[in-house]
Amino acid sequence: MDKISMTDNIINSCGVSDLGACGHPAVKGGMPGGHSGFSDPAVSPRLIAWEMSAACNLNCVHCRASSSCERASRELNIKECFNFLTDISTLPSKPVLIMTGGEPLMRPDFFDILDFSDKLDINKVLATNATLVTPEIAARLAAKRIFAASVSLDGADAREHDGFRRSPGAFEASMKGIEFLKAAGIKIQINISVTRRNYDQIEDLFALARSIGALAIHIFLLVPTGRAENMRGEEISSQQYERLLNWFYDKKRETGREINLKATCAPHYYRIMRQRAKAEGLEINAENFGMDAFTRGCLAGCGFAFVSSEGEVQGCGYMPISAGNIRERKFSDIYANSEFFIKLRDLSLLKGKCGRCGYKKVCGGCRARALAESGDCFGEEPYCDYKI
């Protein structure tokens, strides 16, 4: 399966800014504050990741959804999908809908659903492994205003990537699919899941993504949930996190606005960014840091939400705690009023080192990783090397 985040630049190209994704634009000093120009993230999200189907044609070792080729018996039917889309089309923030999976193209009625969302004028992007994309499919996606797609590449060559996917030929098929998408005018974001397996390949992966002509590159730090529970011990260490995110900071400064780079499931980046900026005498503002100046680390329930193939609403796809089901209650109501989401927005509930940290308003720690490691989503981020 492919990950569920799309780049700030991609979002901005449809008139939505990550300023609203967390609702905490920076004030002087780079710390969060309010901003009257954007919808309250406690009322309306900026990003919704929708797992259209948990089915997938690949068998990735790190799949959050533990996907198989079979569609779930309780997968939302097309009428329920239409009801969900109608609901989110009324949200004041006009959120970007990330159509993800599994592999969303595994749904036989995918294009019926896409057509309905397009008639509702919903901002939408696709997260796909691209192996099922043909020139005809790419053209149909573009015709229904899928203007961007994210594709995961977790190895710099076929041997490494296919090892992650446990599907021989996946690398070649994804590369072909990417070219078909580009030819149809669809912008490409490359996602990279970083583990001990490919930590030393990160420069090669970065070079590959750039050679493809990607508009954006997102690195994802492993959360051991779903099939990735079997990868415990393959997470990079907290010291490697620090080195990687400092390397990422340098890459962002080096490339500037030439390509959008973002660290996902790595909220500590926003602490590192501020530490490095202070040392370099740089002000945290849009001129120096783009949208990173205005967003924060963990956005679960605070500008971002995930909807499973069976209608469960979660803070993110890696956090298997349901705030409600859209079969029983509208998404808009669950997002704004569920007890769990209200708690996720309350930073005073953070425990351990995260609760004491002076950077908690811009970082917050990964709530999904805390849940996976300790059983408590309000526990401390287990892979943070910052000494308080």
Side-chain angles (χ1 to χ4, degrees):
M1 68 153 292
D2 279 81
K3 301 301 184 293
I4 55 175
S5 177
M6 300 299 287
T7 177
D8 300 337
N9 276 358
I10 288 175
I11 293 167
N12 286 343
S13 68
C14 68
V16 181
S17 165
D18 203 24
L19 282 163
C22 66
H24 295 293
V27 294
K28 187 175 181 180
M31 299 305 288
H35 195 292
S36 60
F38 298 93
S39 299
D40 184 348
V43 174
S44 183
R46 283 293 186 182
L47 290 167
I48 303 170
W50 179 24
E51 180 188 61
M52 297 182 69
S53 177
C56 186
N57 59 315
L58 301 183
N59 188 31
C60 305
V61 65
H62 57 321
C63 179
R64 166 205 59 76
S66 299
S67 293
S68 72
C69 61
E70 300 295 327
R71 294 172 65 197
S73 61
R74 282 183 47 78
E75 187 174 276
L76 295 173
N77 63 41
I78 195 164
K79 182 179 179 181
E80 291 167 330
C81 291
F82 287 177
N83 289 340
F84 165 63
L85 292 169
T86 300
D87 178 35
I88 67 170
S89 71
T90 67
L91 289 168
S93 59
K94 299 299 180 186
V96 172
L97 179 67
I98 305 167
M99 306 178 89
T100 184
E103 170 52 55
L105 294 175
M106 290 287 283
R107 277 195 76 122
D109 55 4
F110 171 82
F111 281 100
D112 295 322
I113 296 168
L114 178 61
D115 182 63
F116 188 80
S117 69
D118 195 53
K119 289 175 180 175
L120 291 172
D121 202 28
I122 290 173
N123 297 315
K124 52 204 175 295
V125 291
L126 183 71
T128 175
N129 60 46
T131 62
L132 301 179
V133 175
T134 63
E136 294 75 22
I137 285 176
R140 292 179 72 184
L141 292 169
K144 296 302 178 183
R145 294 186 291 174
I146 290 285
F147 61 89
S150 68
V151 181
S152 288
L153 293 177
D154 299 314
D157 54 39
R159 184 178 66 86
E160 293 294 334
H161 179 79
D162 291 358
F164 264 90
R165 303 291 154 184
R166 299 193 295 190
S167 302
F171 181 81
E172 182 180 357
S174 290
M175 296 295 280
K176 285 183 178 177
I178 287 169
E179 291 306 311
F180 294 146
L181 291 165
K182 287 168 56 183
I186 296 173
K187 299 173 184 178
I188 300 298
Q189 171 182 308
I190 296 300
N191 295 338
I192 303 168
S193 294
V194 183
T195 70
R196 290 180 186 268
R197 296 188 188 193
N198 61 3
Y199 177 75
D200 292 331
Q201 279 197 322
I202 192 66
E203 284 280 8
D204 291 338
L205 279 161
F206 186 83
L208 174 63
R210 296 201 70 183
S211 72
I212 288 169
L215 174 74
I217 304 172
H218 283 198
I219 58 171
F220 286 73
L221 284 300
L222 185 70
V223 180
T225 188
R227 262 202 301 270
E229 285 190 30
N230 299 320
M231 296 183 72
R232 289 186 184 275
E234 295 196 41
E235 306 97 321
I236 61 174
S237 68
S238 58
Q239 294 80 21
Q240 288 173 315
Y241 266 86
E242 291 288 309
R243 290 195 291 272
L244 177 67
L245 295 177
N246 273 282
W247 169 86
F248 202 67
Y249 174 90
D250 290 334
K251 281 294 182 185
K252 286 175 72 72
R253 299 296 296 164
E254 174 190 321
T255 58
R257 298 185 180 178
E258 179 184 342
I259 188 168
N260 182 271
L261 306 179
K262 189 168 183 178
T264 302
C265 301
H268 3 359
Y269 174 76
Y270 294 94
R271 180 254 305 165
I272 289 170
M273 181 186 80
R274 283 164 173 78
Q275 290 174 314
R276 292 286 302 274
K278 182 178 180 181
E280 295 167 14
L282 294 172
E283 184 178 351
I284 300 294
N285 57 30
E287 181 180 356
N288 290 328
F289 294 99
M291 292 300 104
D292 282 345
F294 307 110
T295 190
R296 54 171 269 194
C298 185
L299 299 175
C302 185
F304 180 89
F306 173 86
V307 180
S308 81
S309 63
E310 298 183 6
E312 303 294 348
V313 179
Q314 302 167 201
C316 79
Y318 302 102
M319 188 188 299
I321 298 176
S322 178
N325 192 294
I326 61 172
R327 285 186 164 119
E328 302 160 0
R329 188 177 169 192
K330 286 186 176 182
F331 169 87
S332 54
D333 182 35
I334 295 170
Y335 180 84
N337 301 310
S338 69
E339 181 181 359
F340 179 56
F341 273 20
I342 290 170
K343 286 182 177 179
L344 281 177
R345 298 170 193 136
D346 186 353
L347 296 177
S348 71
L349 296 178
L350 298 184
K351 301 173 184 176
K353 186 165 72 173
C354 286
R356 302 189 303 272
C357 184
Y359 289 98
K360 69 180 179 182
K361 289 184 178 180
V362 294
C363 171
C366 176
R367 298 300 97 221
R369 195 176 291 115
L371 177 67
E373 292 292 331
S374 70
D376 182 356
C377 68
F378 298 103
E380 66 181 43
E381 160 68 57
Y383 289 99
C384 176
D385 201 44
Y386 180 56
K387 305 296 190 295
I388 296 178

